[in-house]
Amino acid sequence: MADSDIEDAPLADAPREATPRDRRREMVDKIVLTLGEFINDLDTRDERWRASVGQLVAILQTMSDSIASADDKTFTAIMREAALLMRTLKERQAYFSKFTVH
C-alpha cells in the first residue's frame, strides 16, 4: 500500500459529513486491519516478526483516538511510518513466498 493509498482510501469511503478527525480515525482503523491481516499471513516460524507487528497493532488500537486528534505533521509522520512498515512486510512476504513449497 503506497502513501497515497493510505491517504486516499478512507476519504473515498467516508460520508461527506464526516469530520477530519473521523476520517483520520477511519484511516487508523484500516491500517490496524491491514496489519492484522499481515500477522495472519506471516510465516509462523518467525514469531519475532509476528510479535512485533502484533505489538504495533495493539499500540495503534490503543492510541487511535490520540493519533486521529494529532496535529497534521504528527499524523502525517505516523501514516508514513505505517505505510513504510506495510510496504516492508509486503516485500518480505514476496521474498519468502519464493521459497515456500505448496
XYZ file of all heavy atoms in Angstrom:
812
model
N 0.849 -1.163 0.000
C 0.000 0.000 0.000
C 0.901 1.234 0.000
O 1.740 1.387 0.853
C -0.888 -0.039 1.251
C -1.874 1.078 1.320
S -2.954 0.950 2.770
C -4.175 -0.188 2.169
N 0.715 2.091 -0.949
C 1.537 3.291 -1.064
C 1.028 4.375 -0.136
O -0.098 4.315 0.349
C 1.512 3.785 -2.509
N 1.884 5.383 0.099
C 1.477 6.507 0.945
C 0.166 7.094 0.456
O -0.729 7.384 1.239
C 2.533 7.617 0.931
C 3.795 7.225 1.679
O 3.758 6.232 2.433
O 4.806 7.914 1.506
N 0.044 7.285 -0.852
C -1.170 7.900 -1.398
C -2.375 6.995 -1.189
O -3.484 7.475 -0.995
C -0.992 8.222 -2.881
O -0.746 7.033 -3.604
N -2.166 5.657 -1.213
C -3.273 4.740 -0.957
C -3.815 4.922 0.451
O -5.009 4.933 0.678
C -2.824 3.282 -1.112
C -2.450 2.930 -2.537
O -2.899 3.630 -3.460
O -1.696 1.963 -2.721
N -2.902 5.051 1.406
C -3.314 5.229 2.797
C -4.058 6.542 2.965
O -5.057 6.626 3.659
C -2.099 5.175 3.746
C -1.601 3.746 3.828
C -2.447 5.682 5.135
C -0.385 3.571 4.660
N -3.575 7.584 2.304
C -4.189 8.897 2.463
C -5.528 8.997 1.750
O -6.436 9.656 2.229
C -3.238 9.969 1.944
C -1.985 10.092 2.778
C -0.900 10.907 2.106
O -1.137 11.451 1.024
O 0.196 10.979 2.663
N -5.680 8.326 0.594
C -6.874 8.481 -0.214
C -7.971 7.470 0.092
O -9.146 7.775 -0.049
C -6.530 8.376 -1.702
C -5.623 9.510 -2.160
O -5.592 10.551 -1.477
O -4.944 9.340 -3.183
N -7.627 6.265 0.496
C -8.606 5.194 0.660
C -9.759 5.555 1.593
O -10.914 5.428 1.211
C -7.920 3.916 1.120
N -9.504 6.022 2.796
C -10.620 6.309 3.698
C -11.481 7.476 3.217
O -12.658 7.523 3.503
C -9.953 6.677 5.017
C -8.582 6.169 4.915
C -8.236 6.179 3.456
N -10.891 8.385 2.495
C -11.661 9.534 2.039
C -12.744 9.115 1.069
O -13.822 9.695 1.036
C -10.734 10.574 1.392
C -9.662 11.136 2.330
C -8.773 12.116 1.578
C -10.287 11.811 3.534
N -12.487 8.090 0.269
C -13.477 7.626 -0.689
C -14.653 6.969 0.022
O -15.788 7.066 -0.433
C -12.832 6.642 -1.656
N -14.401 6.311 1.157
C -15.440 5.593 1.883
C -16.176 6.460 2.901
O -17.277 6.135 3.307
C -14.831 4.411 2.636
C -14.212 3.385 1.706
O -14.569 3.382 0.514
O -13.369 2.603 2.172
N -15.556 7.547 3.314
C -16.123 8.365 4.390
C -17.338 9.151 3.897
O -17.343 9.660 2.787
C -15.076 9.336 4.911
N -18.365 9.238 4.732
C -19.512 10.061 4.360
C -19.117 11.533 4.274
O -18.165 11.967 4.922
C -20.503 9.848 5.505
C -19.875 8.927 6.472
C -18.501 8.589 6.011
N -19.821 12.269 3.480
C -19.486 13.690 3.287
C -19.505 14.470 4.601
O -18.750 15.398 4.775
C -20.445 14.335 2.293
C -20.258 13.835 0.890
C -21.044 14.708 -0.081
N -21.014 14.157 -1.411
C -20.050 14.399 -2.282
N -19.047 15.147 -1.952
N -20.094 13.865 -3.482
N -20.381 14.098 5.513
C -20.486 14.838 6.768
C -19.442 14.419 7.804
O -19.393 14.976 8.896
C -21.895 14.711 7.356
C -22.290 13.313 7.778
C -22.846 12.447 6.648
O -22.980 12.921 5.512
O -23.142 11.283 6.920
N -18.597 13.447 7.469
C -17.558 13.004 8.400
C -16.567 14.137 8.652
O -16.166 14.841 7.742
C -16.830 11.786 7.838
N -16.191 14.269 9.907
C -15.213 15.288 10.272
C -13.815 14.800 9.900
O -13.606 13.601 9.729
C -15.256 15.569 11.787
O -14.836 14.386 12.481
C -16.644 15.979 12.247
N -12.858 15.717 9.799
C -11.482 15.288 9.526
C -10.985 14.269 10.562
O -10.299 13.310 10.221
C -10.676 16.589 9.599
C -11.662 17.643 9.224
C -12.979 17.170 9.802
N -11.358 14.459 11.817
C -10.953 13.520 12.864
C -11.573 12.152 12.623
O -10.920 11.121 12.798
C -11.363 14.056 14.236
C -10.843 13.216 15.377
C -11.389 13.716 16.719
N -11.082 12.794 17.758
C -11.663 11.613 17.934
N -12.580 11.201 17.116
N -11.322 10.836 18.935
N -12.840 12.119 12.200
C -13.493 10.838 11.893
C -12.798 10.141 10.730
O -12.616 8.929 10.749
C -14.967 11.043 11.548
C -15.800 11.481 12.733
O -15.381 11.256 13.888
O -16.881 12.068 12.498
N -12.410 10.903 9.729
C -11.706 10.329 8.578
C -10.349 9.774 9.004
O -9.934 8.706 8.569
C -11.526 11.382 7.486
C -12.816 11.722 6.793
C -12.579 12.686 5.672
N -13.839 12.965 5.018
C -14.212 14.159 4.639
N -13.430 15.203 4.804
N -15.373 14.333 4.049
N -9.687 10.519 9.862
C -8.385 10.051 10.358
C -8.556 8.774 11.171
O -7.778 7.841 11.054
C -7.717 11.126 11.212
C -7.152 12.257 10.406
C -6.537 13.272 11.327
N -5.749 14.240 10.584
C -4.929 15.091 11.160
N -4.785 15.101 12.479
N -4.241 15.938 10.438
N -9.566 8.750 11.996
C -9.835 7.561 12.822
C -10.103 6.358 11.917
O -9.606 5.256 12.150
C -11.014 7.832 13.758
C -11.459 6.640 14.577
C -10.344 6.214 15.525
N -10.610 4.931 16.089
C -11.059 4.726 17.319
N -11.257 5.740 18.122
N -11.275 3.522 17.750
N -10.871 6.571 10.860
C -11.149 5.501 9.917
C -9.857 5.014 9.250
O -9.649 3.819 9.050
C -12.142 5.968 8.856
C -12.563 4.869 7.913
C -13.602 5.308 6.911
O -14.257 6.341 7.127
O -13.749 4.613 5.895
N -8.966 5.950 8.950
C -7.692 5.613 8.337
C -6.861 4.742 9.283
O -6.292 3.728 8.868
C -6.937 6.904 7.989
C -5.812 6.716 7.033
S -4.963 8.270 6.612
C -6.260 9.274 5.964
N -6.804 5.125 10.541
C -6.057 4.349 11.534
C -6.675 2.957 11.673
O -5.960 1.950 11.721
C -6.009 5.080 12.898
C -5.387 4.197 13.970
C -5.250 6.392 12.776
N -7.997 2.895 11.702
C -8.669 1.597 11.812
C -8.341 0.699 10.621
O -8.130 -0.501 10.783
C -10.184 1.779 11.926
C -10.599 2.390 13.257
O -9.788 2.394 14.202
O -11.749 2.882 13.344
N -8.279 1.269 9.421
C -7.933 0.479 8.233
C -6.492 -0.023 8.309
O -6.197 -1.143 7.900
C -8.140 1.291 6.953
C -9.585 1.400 6.574
C -9.744 2.058 5.236
C -11.215 2.087 4.882
N -11.425 2.314 3.461
N -5.618 0.800 8.818
C -4.228 0.373 8.970
C -4.146 -0.777 9.963
O -3.434 -1.755 9.732
C -3.333 1.557 9.396
C -3.199 2.527 8.223
C -1.968 1.081 9.876
C -2.556 3.836 8.584
N -4.874 -0.677 11.066
C -4.890 -1.749 12.066
C -5.395 -3.045 11.433
O -4.808 -4.119 11.635
C -5.741 -1.343 13.288
C -6.033 -2.527 14.185
C -5.044 -0.235 14.071
N -6.466 -2.971 10.650
C -6.998 -4.164 9.987
C -5.985 -4.754 9.009
O -5.787 -5.971 8.956
C -8.292 -3.831 9.245
C -9.515 -3.578 10.115
C -10.693 -3.095 9.268
C -9.890 -4.832 10.876
N -5.337 -3.899 8.237
C -4.350 -4.358 7.265
C -3.177 -5.033 7.960
O -2.721 -6.106 7.548
C -3.851 -3.189 6.394
O -4.976 -2.596 5.731
C -2.847 -3.649 5.359
N -2.682 -4.416 9.032
C -1.573 -5.018 9.775
C -2.008 -6.336 10.416
O -1.229 -7.283 10.489
C -1.038 -4.052 10.824
C -0.249 -2.867 10.279
C 0.070 -1.876 11.392
C 1.031 -3.323 9.592
N -3.246 -6.405 10.865
C -3.771 -7.650 11.412
C -3.765 -8.770 10.381
O -3.452 -9.926 10.689
N -4.090 -8.427 9.135
C -4.041 -9.411 8.051
C -2.603 -9.870 7.808
O -2.364 -11.041 7.536
C -4.635 -8.825 6.778
C -6.129 -8.611 6.858
C -6.684 -7.812 5.686
O -5.938 -7.549 4.716
O -7.868 -7.456 5.757
N -1.672 -8.936 7.905
C -0.266 -9.303 7.735
C 0.157 -10.294 8.807
O 0.913 -11.228 8.530
C 0.651 -8.080 7.788
C 0.790 -7.366 6.482
C 0.367 -6.058 6.356
C 1.354 -7.986 5.374
C 0.496 -5.384 5.154
C 1.486 -7.323 4.172
C 1.055 -6.015 4.066
N -0.303 -10.110 10.026
C 0.057 -11.027 11.113
C -0.394 -12.436 10.758
O 0.350 -13.400 10.932
C -0.573 -10.585 12.456
C 0.078 -9.302 12.946
C -0.416 -11.685 13.503
C -0.596 -8.707 14.164
N -1.601 -12.552 10.229
C -2.124 -13.872 9.867
C -1.324 -14.516 8.739
O -1.217 -15.734 8.668
C -3.589 -13.775 9.464
C -4.468 -13.386 10.619
O -4.158 -13.657 11.772
N -5.567 -12.728 10.327
N -0.786 -13.688 7.851
C -0.055 -14.201 6.696
C 1.431 -14.420 6.952
O 2.102 -15.052 6.139
C -0.210 -13.243 5.503
C -1.632 -13.197 5.003
O -2.410 -14.128 5.292
O -1.986 -12.214 4.319
N 1.957 -13.890 8.058
C 3.383 -14.045 8.336
C 3.706 -15.502 8.633
O 2.912 -16.229 9.214
C 3.815 -13.177 9.519
C 3.901 -11.681 9.265
C 4.217 -10.959 10.562
C 4.957 -11.356 8.225
N 4.873 -15.894 8.239
C 5.353 -17.249 8.471
C 5.337 -17.532 9.976
O 5.910 -16.785 10.768
C 6.780 -17.375 7.921
C 7.280 -18.798 7.956
O 6.630 -19.650 8.585
O 8.328 -19.049 7.341
N 4.701 -18.604 10.361
C 4.576 -18.915 11.788
C 5.902 -19.291 12.422
O 6.026 -19.304 13.635
C 3.570 -20.065 12.015
O 3.976 -21.200 11.232
C 2.175 -19.648 11.653
N 6.914 -19.580 11.612
C 8.228 -19.908 12.178
C 8.944 -18.664 12.687
O 9.889 -18.757 13.443
C 9.097 -20.593 11.131
C 8.573 -21.980 10.756
C 9.331 -22.522 9.610
N 8.957 -21.709 8.442
C 9.392 -21.904 7.210
N 10.236 -22.861 6.968
N 9.000 -21.143 6.222
N 8.498 -17.510 12.268
C 9.163 -16.273 12.672
C 8.290 -15.529 13.687
O 7.632 -14.548 13.378
C 9.435 -15.388 11.452
C 10.435 -14.292 11.754
O 10.724 -14.061 12.942
O 10.911 -13.665 10.800
N 8.289 -16.039 14.886
C 7.453 -15.472 15.947
C 7.846 -14.052 16.326
O 7.021 -13.273 16.775
C 7.471 -16.371 17.186
C 6.669 -17.637 17.010
C 5.196 -17.360 16.706
O 4.587 -16.488 17.350
O 4.667 -18.032 15.804
N 9.121 -13.706 16.149
C 9.568 -12.344 16.481
C 8.843 -11.315 15.637
O 8.399 -10.287 16.135
C 11.073 -12.226 16.265
C 11.832 -11.848 17.462
C 13.290 -11.743 17.197
N 13.626 -11.873 15.771
C 14.838 -11.833 15.303
N 15.838 -11.682 16.112
N 15.076 -11.958 14.017
N 8.744 -11.573 14.327
C 8.045 -10.648 13.440
C 6.577 -10.557 13.817
O 6.002 -9.475 13.879
C 8.178 -11.104 11.964
C 9.354 -10.523 11.291
C 10.632 -11.011 11.293
C 9.400 -9.316 10.531
N 11.450 -10.197 10.564
C 10.718 -9.152 10.081
C 8.444 -8.376 10.177
C 11.106 -8.073 9.304
C 8.828 -7.313 9.389
C 10.149 -7.165 8.973
N 5.967 -11.703 14.044
C 4.539 -11.719 14.414
C 4.324 -10.924 15.702
O 3.382 -10.148 15.799
C 4.055 -13.146 14.583
C 3.979 -13.928 13.301
C 3.570 -15.364 13.582
N 2.220 -15.442 14.102
C 1.154 -15.645 13.358
N 1.273 -15.816 12.068
N -0.037 -15.719 13.909
N 5.181 -11.120 16.675
C 5.044 -10.425 17.950
C 5.245 -8.921 17.770
O 4.503 -8.120 18.347
C 6.041 -10.979 18.961
N 6.224 -8.538 16.960
C 6.488 -7.111 16.738
C 5.310 -6.416 16.062
O 4.882 -5.340 16.482
C 7.742 -6.928 15.874
O 8.867 -7.404 16.544
N 4.793 -7.047 15.019
C 3.647 -6.450 14.319
C 2.428 -6.459 15.235
O 1.660 -5.496 15.283
C 3.364 -7.176 12.988
C 2.111 -6.637 12.326
C 4.559 -7.035 12.044
N 2.261 -7.519 16.004
C 1.151 -7.592 16.959
C 1.204 -6.480 17.998
O 0.174 -5.889 18.342
N 2.401 -6.192 18.488
C 2.550 -5.101 19.459
C 2.201 -3.761 18.823
O 1.556 -2.921 19.451
C 3.973 -5.063 20.003
C 4.271 -6.179 20.965
C 5.731 -6.184 21.401
O 6.610 -5.710 20.697
N 5.976 -6.754 22.570
N 2.634 -3.564 17.595
C 2.318 -2.317 16.904
C 0.818 -2.166 16.697
O 0.263 -1.087 16.905
C 3.044 -2.242 15.565
C 2.791 -0.972 14.756
C 3.230 0.270 15.540
C 3.502 -1.038 13.427
N 0.151 -3.242 16.321
C -1.305 -3.203 16.148
C -1.970 -2.822 17.468
O -2.869 -1.978 17.505
C -1.834 -4.553 15.616
C -3.344 -4.626 15.722
C -1.390 -4.760 14.176
N -1.517 -3.414 18.562
C -2.094 -3.107 19.878
C -1.889 -1.639 20.241
O -2.798 -0.984 20.749
C -1.478 -4.016 20.942
N -0.707 -1.122 19.941
C -0.426 0.293 20.225
C -1.326 1.190 19.389
O -1.912 2.152 19.898
C 1.066 0.610 19.966
C 1.935 -0.063 21.026
C 1.302 2.123 19.950
C 3.422 -0.067 20.697
N -1.438 0.890 18.099
C -2.287 1.701 17.225
C -3.749 1.659 17.673
O -4.438 2.682 17.648
C -2.168 1.244 15.769
C -0.861 1.593 15.071
C -0.785 0.916 13.713
C -0.708 3.098 14.917
N -4.221 0.491 18.081
C -5.597 0.387 18.562
C -5.807 1.223 19.818
O -6.786 1.943 19.939
C -5.960 -1.066 18.857
C -6.199 -1.884 17.625
C -6.447 -3.341 17.945
O -5.839 -3.906 18.860
N -7.326 -3.963 17.186
N -4.861 1.127 20.734
C -4.958 1.862 21.988
C -4.894 3.372 21.769
O -5.594 4.132 22.429
C -3.828 1.439 22.945
O -3.920 0.031 23.160
C -3.908 2.164 24.262
N -4.071 3.779 20.822
C -3.827 5.210 20.613
C -4.600 5.792 19.428
O -4.354 6.930 19.042
C -2.330 5.444 20.406
C -1.491 5.062 21.601
S 0.227 5.500 21.357
C 0.109 7.283 21.276
N -5.537 5.052 18.854
C -6.191 5.518 17.635
C -6.874 6.869 17.803
O -6.814 7.711 16.905
C -7.168 4.474 17.101
O -8.142 4.179 18.056
N -7.498 7.117 18.939
C -8.122 8.431 19.163
C -7.071 9.536 19.244
O -7.257 10.616 18.688
C -8.957 8.427 20.447
C -10.287 7.728 20.269
O -10.823 7.737 19.140
O -10.786 7.156 21.259
N -5.979 9.257 19.936
C -4.908 10.255 20.039
C -4.274 10.529 18.682
O -3.976 11.676 18.344
C -3.826 9.773 21.006
O -4.343 9.611 22.292
N -4.073 9.470 17.901
C -3.491 9.644 16.572
C -4.422 10.456 15.694
O -3.994 11.375 14.986
C -3.185 8.275 15.934
C -2.078 7.555 16.718
C -2.790 8.426 14.463
C -1.903 6.098 16.352
N -5.708 10.151 15.736
C -6.688 10.876 14.923
C -6.771 12.343 15.318
O -7.064 13.202 14.484
C -8.061 10.218 15.044
N -6.496 12.641 16.572
C -6.572 14.023 17.059
C -5.242 14.769 16.967
O -5.179 15.952 17.306
C -7.029 14.029 18.522
O -8.291 13.432 18.642
N -4.204 14.095 16.523
C -2.867 14.709 16.468
C -2.827 15.849 15.451
O -3.661 15.922 14.546
C -1.831 13.654 16.099
N -1.832 16.715 15.610
C -1.661 17.786 14.631
C -1.288 17.167 13.285
O -0.888 16.007 13.203
C -0.595 18.794 15.101
C 0.766 18.147 15.263
O 1.500 18.095 14.264
O 1.073 17.692 16.379
N -1.430 17.946 12.220
C -1.218 17.431 10.865
C 0.162 16.820 10.662
O 0.304 15.762 10.054
C -1.437 18.539 9.827
C -2.891 18.965 9.732
O -3.770 18.203 10.202
O -3.152 20.052 9.187
N 1.178 17.476 11.171
C 2.548 17.000 10.975
C 2.757 15.643 11.645
O 3.332 14.728 11.049
C 3.524 18.034 11.536
C 4.964 17.757 11.218
C 5.836 18.903 11.691
C 7.289 18.651 11.343
N 8.150 19.761 11.745
N 2.279 15.501 12.860
C 2.426 14.246 13.594
C 1.624 13.135 12.930
O 2.116 12.017 12.746
C 1.976 14.423 15.059
O 2.754 15.461 15.653
C 2.118 13.143 15.853
N 0.382 13.438 12.561
C -0.464 12.441 11.920
C 0.163 11.949 10.618
O 0.227 10.748 10.352
C -1.854 13.021 11.650
C -2.786 12.026 11.023
C -3.390 11.052 11.788
C -3.051 12.073 9.663
C -4.237 10.125 11.210
C -3.907 11.157 9.076
C -4.499 10.182 9.853
N 0.655 12.875 9.814
C 1.290 12.514 8.546
C 2.511 11.637 8.771
O 2.722 10.646 8.060
C 1.671 13.779 7.754
O 0.480 14.535 7.504
C 2.341 13.453 6.449
N 3.316 11.968 9.768
C 4.509 11.172 10.078
C 4.121 9.750 10.485
O 4.749 8.778 10.037
C 5.327 11.843 11.175
N 3.099 9.609 11.284
C 2.646 8.284 11.717
C 2.133 7.485 10.529
O 2.446 6.302 10.375
C 1.568 8.408 12.818
C 2.190 8.961 14.099
C 0.891 7.058 13.076
C 1.190 9.375 15.150
N 1.376 8.122 9.648
C 0.837 7.429 8.468
C 1.952 6.998 7.522
O 1.914 5.902 6.958
C -0.164 8.317 7.722
C -1.439 8.595 8.495
S -2.376 7.101 8.904
C -1.938 6.861 10.607
N 2.960 7.823 7.368
C 4.093 7.447 6.505
C 4.852 6.261 7.084
O 5.281 5.370 6.359
C 5.020 8.632 6.292
C 4.419 9.618 5.338
C 5.413 10.617 4.838
N 4.719 11.485 3.899
C 5.007 12.738 3.710
N 6.008 13.290 4.366
N 4.330 13.457 2.853
N 5.038 6.261 8.392
C 5.716 5.127 9.032
C 4.894 3.857 8.876
O 5.447 2.773 8.628
C 5.973 5.423 10.510
C 7.023 6.470 10.750
C 8.399 6.078 10.222
O 8.791 4.894 10.352
O 9.076 6.953 9.676
N 3.579 3.969 9.006
C 2.715 2.799 8.824
C 2.796 2.294 7.389
O 2.864 1.082 7.150
C 1.270 3.154 9.184
N 2.818 3.208 6.425
C 2.934 2.819 5.014
C 4.270 2.131 4.761
O 4.333 1.121 4.048
C 2.784 4.046 4.113
N 5.333 2.651 5.348
C 6.651 2.050 5.200
C 6.669 0.634 5.779
O 7.187 -0.301 5.165
C 7.712 2.919 5.880
C 9.136 2.380 5.868
C 9.659 2.259 4.434
C 10.044 3.302 6.674
N 6.069 0.463 6.941
C 6.005 -0.857 7.558
C 5.224 -1.827 6.678
O 5.668 -2.951 6.438
C 5.359 -0.779 8.943
C 5.094 -2.120 9.608
C 6.391 -2.869 9.879
C 4.295 -1.937 10.877
N 4.090 -1.395 6.173
C 3.286 -2.278 5.332
C 4.017 -2.642 4.041
O 3.971 -3.781 3.593
C 1.922 -1.660 5.051
C 1.028 -1.711 6.275
S -0.661 -1.222 5.957
C -0.506 0.540 6.101
N 4.690 -1.680 3.468
C 5.461 -1.942 2.250
C 6.579 -2.955 2.543
O 6.799 -3.888 1.788
C 6.024 -0.632 1.702
C 6.542 -0.706 0.305
C 6.844 0.634 -0.334
N 7.145 1.748 0.544
C 6.307 2.761 0.793
N 5.123 2.808 0.236
N 6.670 3.742 1.599
N 7.256 -2.793 3.671
C 8.322 -3.711 4.064
C 7.769 -5.116 4.297
O 8.371 -6.110 3.863
C 9.028 -3.206 5.339
O 9.561 -1.909 5.077
C 10.135 -4.132 5.787
N 6.625 -5.213 4.957
C 6.022 -6.521 5.194
C 5.621 -7.195 3.885
O 5.815 -8.399 3.716
C 4.815 -6.395 6.122
C 5.123 -6.078 7.585
C 3.854 -5.756 8.342
C 5.866 -7.235 8.239
N 5.075 -6.424 2.955
C 4.708 -6.975 1.647
C 5.944 -7.485 0.908
O 5.924 -8.565 0.317
C 4.009 -5.918 0.790
C 2.549 -5.834 0.989
C 1.953 -4.869 -0.023
C 0.465 -4.888 0.043
N -0.137 -3.958 -0.902
N 6.999 -6.707 0.921
C 8.234 -7.118 0.255
C 8.801 -8.378 0.902
O 9.279 -9.278 0.214
C 9.264 -5.984 0.289
C 8.900 -4.826 -0.608
C 9.773 -3.600 -0.396
O 10.680 -3.630 0.464
O 9.541 -2.591 -1.094
N 8.751 -8.431 2.217
C 9.255 -9.598 2.945
C 8.425 -10.825 2.602
O 8.959 -11.904 2.369
C 9.202 -9.320 4.444
C 9.848 -10.376 5.286
C 9.858 -9.942 6.754
N 10.672 -10.808 7.551
C 10.262 -11.978 8.027
N 9.052 -12.401 7.784
N 11.069 -12.721 8.761
N 7.098 -10.658 2.547
C 6.230 -11.766 2.167
C 6.558 -12.254 0.758
O 6.646 -13.459 0.519
C 4.767 -11.328 2.187
C 4.077 -11.479 3.492
C 2.631 -11.056 3.386
O 2.306 -10.072 2.728
N 1.767 -11.781 4.043
N 6.715 -11.323 -0.172
C 7.013 -11.682 -1.561
C 8.336 -12.426 -1.645
O 8.466 -13.412 -2.371
C 7.034 -10.430 -2.438
N 9.329 -11.950 -0.906
C 10.643 -12.589 -0.925
C 10.562 -14.024 -0.420
O 11.037 -14.951 -1.050
C 11.637 -11.775 -0.091
C 12.985 -12.440 0.028
C 13.888 -12.389 -1.023
C 13.334 -13.133 1.177
C 15.135 -13.006 -0.939
C 14.565 -13.759 1.278
C 15.465 -13.687 0.223
O 16.666 -14.317 0.318
N 9.928 -14.207 0.738
C 9.884 -15.534 1.332
C 8.897 -16.457 0.631
O 9.024 -17.682 0.725
C 9.598 -15.459 2.834
C 10.798 -15.059 3.625
C 10.874 -13.788 4.197
C 11.865 -15.918 3.779
C 12.006 -13.397 4.907
C 12.999 -15.542 4.497
C 13.062 -14.274 5.060
N 7.939 -15.918 -0.091
C 6.997 -16.787 -0.808
C 7.708 -17.538 -1.934
O 7.238 -18.595 -2.367
C 5.823 -15.986 -1.354
O 6.242 -15.132 -2.399
N 8.845 -17.026 -2.390
C 9.621 -17.727 -3.421
C 10.138 -19.059 -2.906
O 10.379 -19.975 -3.669
C 10.815 -16.882 -3.868
C 10.442 -15.642 -4.635
C 11.689 -14.966 -5.162
C 12.097 -13.850 -4.249
N 13.260 -13.097 -4.734
N 10.311 -19.166 -1.609
C 10.889 -20.365 -1.010
C 9.838 -21.305 -0.411
O 10.186 -22.335 0.131
C 11.892 -19.970 0.077
C 12.950 -19.045 -0.420
C 12.945 -17.708 -0.070
C 13.943 -19.515 -1.266
C 13.934 -16.847 -0.530
C 14.930 -18.664 -1.740
C 14.931 -17.321 -1.377
N 8.581 -20.932 -0.531
C 7.513 -21.739 0.027
C 7.061 -22.764 -1.008
O 6.773 -22.427 -2.143
C 6.310 -20.860 0.429
O 6.774 -19.879 1.357
C 5.208 -21.675 1.050
N 7.009 -24.007 -0.596
C 6.546 -25.078 -1.472
C 5.086 -25.336 -1.142
O 4.728 -25.544 0.005
C 7.379 -26.353 -1.249
C 6.851 -27.487 -2.123
C 8.841 -26.077 -1.505
N 4.268 -25.307 -2.166
C 2.827 -25.537 -1.952
C 2.458 -26.951 -2.285
O 2.841 -27.596 -3.121
C 1.999 -24.584 -2.813
C 2.186 -23.164 -2.401
N 1.599 -22.639 -1.287
C 2.923 -22.174 -2.938
C 1.948 -21.363 -1.175
N 2.751 -21.059 -2.163
